[in-house]
C-alpha cells in the first residue's frame, strides 16, 4: 500500500516537473530574453510584429498554466504531506502565477488591459500638458477596476490587502500601517534635526559632477566587478529604464542608464541593479525547471538592490573606493577630498520628484503613495481630490509643495500602468535591507570594516547563503523569519538611519 | 452548391492561416531572435539553459508542423484549383519546412543529429592537428547518412538531386552540370589569360590596408545607409560569422565581422549581408503570417548578397565612392588613386582558402566542392581518397596545391556540419546575380552609370520590385522565369566576368 502510494507520488512528481519545466522555458524566454531585446536592441519599427509574437507566447503560457494536466498535478500536490520545501514552493508559485489572472472574468480582464494601454498614453499627454483633468477619468476607471479586482481576489480585513498580496504574499495593511506611521514621524523628525545643522545649510545641492558616458560605463563595469557580478554569466547594457532580467542564473542582464551631467545616477543604478544581478546569478541552479529559480518576491529583490545601493554603496568605506576609482577616470572629482565625497553621496535635500530623492526623504515619497493608494481603494478620498491631497502631504511631510501636477501627482507612470499595491514593496525593501544588514553584522562583523578590509566577497557570500541561493522556495515573510528568527520590523531601519545621518551631519 | 464550397474554402483558409501564423511566430522567434541573441549577446555560461530552451521551442515547432489540424489543411489545399499564388506558396513552404525531417525515421534522424554534434568537434581537432585520418571515419558515416537520406527523400535520376532539392527546389545535377563544366573551363582560361598580363605580374598581393575597428564600423554603417538599409527596421552587430537574420521585415539584424589588418573583409561583409538585409526589409509585409515573408531560397538570398558585394560593390563607380569615404576615415588610403583602389578591390590571385578567394577564383573553389560532393554521393570516389582528389583538382583548376589538409580538405566545417547539397546554392547565386544584373541593365540602364549618377535607389527599387517584395511566394526557378522569361543560365555570368576583367587587366 505504502509502496504504491510512493510510486504514484514519484510518477505524479515527474509529470508535474515536466509540465512546469516547459512553462519555465516559455516564461523566461518571453519575460526575460524577448522583453530584454525589446528594451535594448529592437529596431523601432520592430514593435508591431514583436507585439504579436509576445501576445502569442503570452497566450501559450496561459494555455500551459490552464492545462488540465497542470490542474491535476496542483490538486494532487497542494497540501500533500509528502512534499518537501521545493514541491510546496512550486505549488505556491504556480498558484500565484496563475491565480490573479484566472480569478478575473476574461472579458473584464481584457477590458482592463485595453484601459491600461490607453491610460498610459493619456497620462503621457496629461503630464506633458500639465493637465490632471485629462487623466482623471482614466484614473477613476482604473481605481474602480482595482476595487473590483480586490473583490475577486478576496481579503480578510481590508480591500487593499488583496492588492498588496499580489506583490507580497501574506503582507497586510495592518502590518504595514503599524510600521509606516511611526517611521514617517521618525523620518520627519530626523529631517527637521538635519535641517538645523550647519553642514546642511552650507551644502550646495545644485553642485553636481558629470562624466562622459564612455567613462561612466567603465565605472559601472568596475562597480559590478567589485561587488562580484560575473560577466561570464551576465552582461551590462543601456536602456531607458534600469532593470535586471534573468534568462537563467547563468544569463543575467542588467540594463542601466547614465546621466552625463551627474555621475550619481550611473553609480547608484549599477549598485542597485548589480545587487539584483548578484541575487539572480546566485540562485541555486538545481531550482531550474521548477519556476523557483527566481527571486522570492519583488520586495526581497528590491531589498538586495537597496542594500547594495544604500547600505554598501553609500557607506564610508565604499565611497572611498569609489572616490579613488573616480580620480583615475576624471580630474573634476579632485575638488573633493574622500570625506566630502562621502558626504556628497549622502546629502539630504527634500525634493518633489521621487526618483531624484536622497536616501532619507525617498521613504517619505513612498509613504505618501502608499497612504494615498490605500485611501483611494478604501474610498476615503476621491480621484478628483488627488492633486490637493498630494500637495498637502508633500507640504506636511517634506516641507515643500509642487507648483504643478507634472511635478506632483502626474510624475510617475505607476498608476496609469496599473501598479496598485506595488509601493509597499518599495517600503518593505528598505526595511528588509536594514534588517539583513543588522543580521549580517551580528554574524560576520561590521560592514564598514569588511569593505575597508577589501572583503566585499564576505558580504556577497552571506547574502548568497542566506537569501540568494534559495530562489523563490520561500515567501518574503518565510524568508525573513528563517534569517532573523522574527518578523519584519522597522526598528533596524530607524537605527540604521540614525547612525548614518549622525555620521554625515553630526546630529 | 457553389456557395457552400466557397464557404468551406474560406473557412478552411482562415483555419490554415491561423495555424500557420502561430508556426511563423515560433519559427522567427527561435531561428532569428533567439539564435541572433545566442551569437551576439549571450554570456558564455548561458549556453546550457539556452540549448534547453531552443530544444523545447524546436520540439514545439515540430509539434505544430505535425499537428492533425495542419495536415487536414494541407490535404485540403494541396493542388486545390481555387488557390491563388499565396496559398500555393504556403502549401509548398510548409511541405518543405517539414517534409525533409518527417521522411527520415525518428531514430535515424536522432542518430544523425548526434553524429553531427560529434563530427563538428572531431573536425575541429583534426584541423588543428592537420590529421585527416582522425576525421575520416566520421565523414564516412556522414556520407553514408546522406546517401540514405537521399533514398528517403527520393529523386528521379541522381541521388544527389535529393540533397540539392533540399536547398533549391527542383534544381537537378543535370542542370548544374550543363553549366558548371563549361563555366569551369571558361574561368580557367580567363585566369590563364590574366596570369600573362603585366598588371597581374606586378601586383603585390601581400599588400593590404588596415583600419581600426571603430572606423570600420562607421564605414560599414555608411555602406549600409548608401545602399538603402533602413536602420529604423534593422541593426548592425558583430559576431564570429557574418549572417543576416530577420525577426520580421521590420526587424532585420545584420551580423558582421571586421579584420583590423584588411579593410576589404568588413567592406564586403557589409555589402554582402547588407544586400541580404535589403531583401529581408523589402519583403511585402502582407505576407507576414503565411511563412512566405522570407527569402525565396538560400540561393536567391545569396545572389542578392553577391550582387551587392561583387556587381555593385566591386564596380568602378562604387569603388570610387568607397575611396572618397575611406580618405575621410584614414590617411593610409592616400597611397592609392581611385583607379588603383578599384583594381585593388578586383585583384585576382589563386589561393587555397575559399573564404579568402577573389571574385574570379572563388567560383573554382565552389565547383571543386560540388564535383567532389557529387562523386562521393554517387560512389565514384571514397572518403579515403578525398585529400588526393582535392589536391589534384586544386592543381588542375587553380594551379596551386595545399601543403597540408588543414589548408585543403579540412578547411571548412560544412561537411562536418552536414551541409551536403549546399555548395550548388553558392554556385547558382553567382549566376543569378549576373543574370539579374543583365535584366536590370536592359530595363533601367547601365549599373555603373546609375551608381555614378548617385541613383543606388534605382537599383534597390528594381530588385525590390522584381525579387525582394515577393518573399517566398515563388521557388527559385519560378522567380527566375518570372524575371527573365527563361531559365537559369551561365552566359550572363561569363559575359559579366569577361567585361570586368577586361576592364581590370586589359585582356
Amino acid at each position: 500500500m505504502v509502496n504504491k502510494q510512493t510510486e504514484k507520488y514519484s510518477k505524479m512528481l515527474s509529470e508535474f516537473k515536466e509540465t512546469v519545466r516547459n512553462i519555465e522555458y516559455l516564461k523566461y524566454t518571453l519575460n526575460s530574453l524577448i522583453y530584454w531585446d525589446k528594451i535594448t536592441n529592437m529596431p523601432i519599427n520592430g514593435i508591431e510584429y514583436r507585439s504579436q509574437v509576445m501576445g502569442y507566447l503570452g497566450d501559450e503560457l496561459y494555455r500551459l498554466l490552464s492545462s488540465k494536466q497542470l490542474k491535476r498535478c496542483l490538486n494532487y500536490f497542494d497540501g500533500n504531506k509528502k512534499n518537501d520545501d521545493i514541491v510546496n514552493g512550486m505549488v505556491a508559485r504556480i498558484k500565484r502565477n496563475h491565480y490573479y489572472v484566472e480569478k478575473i472574468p476574461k472579458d473584464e480582464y481584457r477590458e482592463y488591459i485595453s484601459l491600461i494601454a490607453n491610460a498610459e498614453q493619456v497620462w503621457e499627454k496629461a503630464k506633458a500638458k500639465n493637465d490632471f483633468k485629462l487623466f482623471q477619468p482614466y484614473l477613476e476607471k482604473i481605481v474602480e477596476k482595482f476595487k473590483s479586482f480586490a473583490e475577486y481576489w478576496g481579503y480578510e480585513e481590508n480591500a487593499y490587502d488583496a492588492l498588496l498580496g499580489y506583490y507580497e504574499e501574506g503582507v497586510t495593511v495592518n502590518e504595514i500601517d503599524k510600521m509606516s506611521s511611526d517611521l514617517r514621524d521618525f523620518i520627519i523628525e530626523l529631517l527637521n534635526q538635519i535641517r538645523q545643522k550647519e553642514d546642511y545649510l552650507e551644502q550646495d545641492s545644485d553642485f553636481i559632477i558629470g562624466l562622459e558616458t564612455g567613462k561612466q560605463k567603465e565605472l559601472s563595469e568596475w562597480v559590478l566587478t567589485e561587488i562580484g557580478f560575473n560577466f561570464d554569466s551576465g552582461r551590462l547594457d543601456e536602456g531607458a529604464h534600469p532593470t535586471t532580467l534573468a534568462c537563467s542564473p547563468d544569463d543575467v542582464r542588467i540594463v542601466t542608464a547614465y546621466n552625463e551631467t551627474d555621475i550619481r545616477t550611473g553609480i547608484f543604478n549599477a549598485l542597485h541593479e548589480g545587487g539584483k544581478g548578484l541575487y539572480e546569478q546566485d540562485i541555486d541552479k538545481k531550482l531550474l525547471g521548477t519556476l523557483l529559480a527566481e527571486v522570492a518576491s519583488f520586495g526581497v529583490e528590491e531589498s538586495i538592490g537597496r542594500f547594495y545601493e544604500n547600505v554598501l554603496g553609500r557607506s564610508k568605506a565604499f565611497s572611498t573606493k569609489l572616490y579613488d576609482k573616480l580620480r583615475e577616470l576624471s580630474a573634476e572629482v579632485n575638488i573633493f577630498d574622500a570625506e566630502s565625497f562621502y558626504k556628497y553621496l549622502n546629502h539630504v535635500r527634500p525634493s518633489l520628484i521621487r526618483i531624484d530623492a536622497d536616501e532619507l526623504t525617498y521613504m517619505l515619497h513612498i509613504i505618501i503613495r502608499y497612504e494615498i493608494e490605500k485611501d483611494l481603494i478604501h474610498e476615503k478620498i476621491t480621484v478628483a481630490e488627488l492633486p490637493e491631497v498630494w500637495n498637502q502631504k508633500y507640504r506636511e511631510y517634506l516641507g515643500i509643495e509642487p507648483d504643478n501636477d507634472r511635478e506632483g501627482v502626474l510624475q510617475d507612470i505607476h498608476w496609469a500602468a496599473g501598479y496598485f499595491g506595488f509601493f509597499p514593496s518599495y517600503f518593505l525593501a528598505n526595511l528588509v535591507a536594514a534588517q539583513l544588514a543588522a543580521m549580517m553584522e551580528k554574524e560576520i562583523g561590521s560592514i564598514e570594516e569588511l569593505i575597508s578590509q577589501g572583503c566585499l566577497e564576505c558580504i556577497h557570500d552571506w547574502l548568497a547563503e542566506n537569501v540568494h541561493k534559495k530562489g523563490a522556495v520561500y515567501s518574503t515573510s518565510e524568508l525573513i523569519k528563517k534569517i532573523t528568527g522574527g518578523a519584519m520590523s522597522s526598528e533596524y531601519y530607524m537605527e540604521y538611519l540614525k547612525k548614518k545621518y549622525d555620521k554625515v551631519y553630526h546630529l
Side-chain angles (χ1 to χ4, degrees), chain A:
Chain A
M1 186 62 184
V2 170
N3 270 349
K4 258 203 177 158
Q5 275 189 12
T6 312
E7 212 179 283
K8 176 160 190 203
Y9 187 89
S10 75
K11 209 182 133 242
M12 287 295 288
L13 191 59
S14 56
E15 188 184 324
F16 189 32
K17 285 195 171 166
E18 201 195 310
T19 318
V20 169
R21 184 177 291 274
N22 291 343
I23 291 173
E24 188 190 273
Y25 289 143
L26 213 51
K27 185 182 171 192
Y28 294 179
T29 301
L30 178 60
N31 295 351
S32 298
L33 181 56
I34 299 181
Y35 177 73
W36 174 83
D37 183 84
K38 185 182 152 188
I39 64 171
T40 53
N41 283 317
M42 190 188 68
I44 186 164
N45 292 338
I47 186 64
E48 199 181 318
Y49 193 76
R50 178 65 58 89
S51 304
Q52 291 176 35
V53 166
M54 291 179 83
Y56 166 68
L57 293 175
D59 287 350
E60 279 300 287
L61 193 55
Y62 186 88
R63 190 179 61 79
L64 290 182
L65 281 164
S66 326
S67 73
K68 277 188 193 141
Q69 198 187 11
L70 186 65
K71 281 208 174 108
R72 204 154 47 87
C73 292
L74 280 179
N75 284 337
Y76 182 82
F77 288 104
D78 199 358
N80 193 317
K81 291 274 192 309
K82 286 206 188 67
N83 295 348
D84 59 15
D85 282 1
I86 291 185
V87 178
N88 279 329
M90 284 170 74
V91 171
R93 200 74 179 172
I94 301 271
K95 283 167 80 180
R96 285 185 64 73
N97 263 282
H98 201 42
Y99 177 89
Y100 286 95
V101 173
E102 208 187 32
K103 287 275 170 181
I104 300 169
K106 259 199 168 173
D107 283 354
E108 225 173 300
Y109 188 68
R110 224 173 265 140
E111 228 177 85
Y112 164 73
I113 292 295
S114 114
L115 170 63
I116 288 299
N118 288 323
E120 287 184 344
Q121 290 192 313
V122 173
W123 165 79
E124 214 164 80
K125 245 185 256 167
K127 187 178 174 181
K129 289 188 177 175
N130 191 27
D131 182 358
F132 179 75
K133 286 263 176 291
L134 201 64
F135 181 50
Q136 186 181 320
Y138 289 84
L139 188 53
E140 279 164 351
K141 277 187 206 150
I142 292 172
V143 170
E144 284 315 307
K145 278 276 169 239
F146 275 95
K147 282 198 252 175
S148 92
F149 288 179
E151 299 306 318
Y152 290 127
W153 293 341
Y155 50 87
E156 286 190 9
E157 207 161 332
N158 297 296
Y160 192 80
D161 289 344
L163 310 186
L164 227 172
Y166 177 79
Y167 294 101
E168 302 298 332
E169 199 182 341
V171 177
T172 62
V173 166
N174 285 340
E175 211 174 331
I176 303 272
D177 279 354
K178 233 185 290 166
M179 302 186 279
S180 73
S181 58
D182 283 358
L183 188 55
R184 181 193 62 206
D185 297 345
F186 171 84
I187 295 175
I188 294 172
E189 169 55 27
L190 193 59
L191 180 59
N192 284 336
Q193 276 181 50
I194 290 171
R195 276 182 156 139
Q196 320 297 321
K197 291 287 159 185
E198 210 166 311
D199 277 1
Y200 179 88
L201 296 166
E202 280 172 3
Q203 84 199 12
D204 177 5
S205 293
D206 292 333
F207 173 76
I208 48 174
I209 306 178
L211 186 62
E212 54 175 295
T213 305
K215 284 190 176 176
Q216 289 204 44
K217 221 163 141 176
E218 202 181 316
L219 182 64
S220 287
E221 280 163 10
W222 175 84
V223 164
L224 290 176
T225 307
E226 277 294 301
I227 64 173
F229 186 76
N230 178 1
F231 278 95
D232 283 344
S233 296
R235 40 183 297 130
L236 173 68
D237 296 88
E238 261 177 273
H241 305 287
T243 186
T244 296
L245 298 157
C247 307
S248 83
D250 275 333
D251 186 351
V252 176
R253 300 175 180 213
I254 294 177
V255 178
T256 193
Y258 307 103
N259 178 349
E260 278 228 322
T261 61
D262 190 346
I263 48 165
R264 287 173 299 188
T265 307
I267 291 172
F268 292 120
N269 281 342
L271 283 159
H272 185 86
E273 299 305 330
K276 287 156 66 179
L278 294 182
Y279 191 166
E280 298 278 7
Q281 287 189 336
D282 293 336
I283 291 172
D284 189 346
K285 273 182 270 181
K286 287 197 199 100
L287 294 173
L288 276 171
T290 65
L291 276 172
L292 300 172
E294 302 177 2
V295 299
S297 74
F298 176 76
V300 177
E301 183 191 26
E302 185 72 7
S303 78
I304 302 298
R306 290 283 163 207
F307 176 89
Y308 273 94
E309 177 186 349
N310 293 332
V311 181
L312 182 140
R314 286 181 156 98
S315 70
K316 183 76 203 306
F318 194 78
S319 77
T320 307
K321 274 174 175 292
L322 259 176
Y323 175 77
D324 291 340
K325 182 69 194 173
L326 258 170
R327 287 218 303 183
E328 271 177 53
L329 293 169
S330 162
E332 219 182 322
V333 78
N334 278 325
I335 52 166
F336 287 128
D337 54 27
E339 173 70 19
S340 29
F341 183 70
Y342 162 65
K343 288 188 174 169
Y344 173 65
L345 295 185
N346 284 289
H347 273 175
V348 169
R349 176 76 58 179
S351 64
L352 293 168
I353 305 295
R354 176 182 62 86
I355 58 165
D356 299 335
D358 59 74
E359 186 181 354
L360 181 69
T361 60
Y362 187 86
M363 198 58 155
L364 293 176
H365 291 262
I366 299 300
I367 291 172
I368 289 173
R369 308 296 170 97
Y370 165 65
E371 290 178 354
I372 290 177
E373 269 189 27
K374 196 180 53 172
D375 286 352
L376 277 171
I377 298 296
H378 294 161
E379 301 182 347
K380 291 190 180 154
I381 56 171
T382 66
V383 170
E385 293 164 346
L386 254 189
E388 205 196 304
V389 172
W390 180 287
N391 294 355
Q392 181 235 318
K393 280 188 191 283
Y394 268 78
R395 201 166 49 231
E396 200 180 321
Y397 301 171
L398 285 144
I400 53 175
E401 199 175 334
D403 286 334
N404 54 55
D405 291 334
R406 189 188 298 156
E407 293 189 321
V409 67
L410 287 173
Q411 68 181 255
D412 279 339
I413 199 176
H414 291 58
W415 289 334
Y419 285 91
F420 267 84
F422 179 72
F423 279 107
S425 293
Y426 283 142
F427 176 82
L428 293 177
N430 282 329
L431 307 198
V432 172
Q435 199 160 354
L436 287 175
M439 291 306 126
M440 188 189 293
E441 295 207 316
K442 223 163 79 182
E443 290 185 19
I444 59 171
S446 151
I447 291 171
E448 285 279 8
E449 272 171 38
L450 288 169
I451 299 171
S452 48
Q453 284 155 17
C455 199
L456 286 164
E457 213 182 325
C458 312
I459 294 169
H460 179 195
D461 286 349
W462 190 91
L463 288 170
E465 198 54 41
N466 287 282
V467 184
H468 303 175
K469 73 172 201 183
K470 297 181 165 62
V473 176
Y474 307 106
S475 74
T476 314
S477 2
E478 282 169 344
L479 199 62
I480 298 294
K481 203 166 171 190
K482 269 189 185 288
I483 301 165
T484 65
M488 263 175 279
S489 151
S490 59
E491 272 172 46
Y492 303 95
Y493 188 55
M494 293 196 224
E495 197 53 46
Y496 161 79
L497 290 176
K498 214 159 43 190
K499 220 170 122 189
K500 151 164 286 188
Y501 291 105
D502 188 29
K503 218 162 165 181
V504 179
Y505 288 106
H506 314 287
L507 303 173

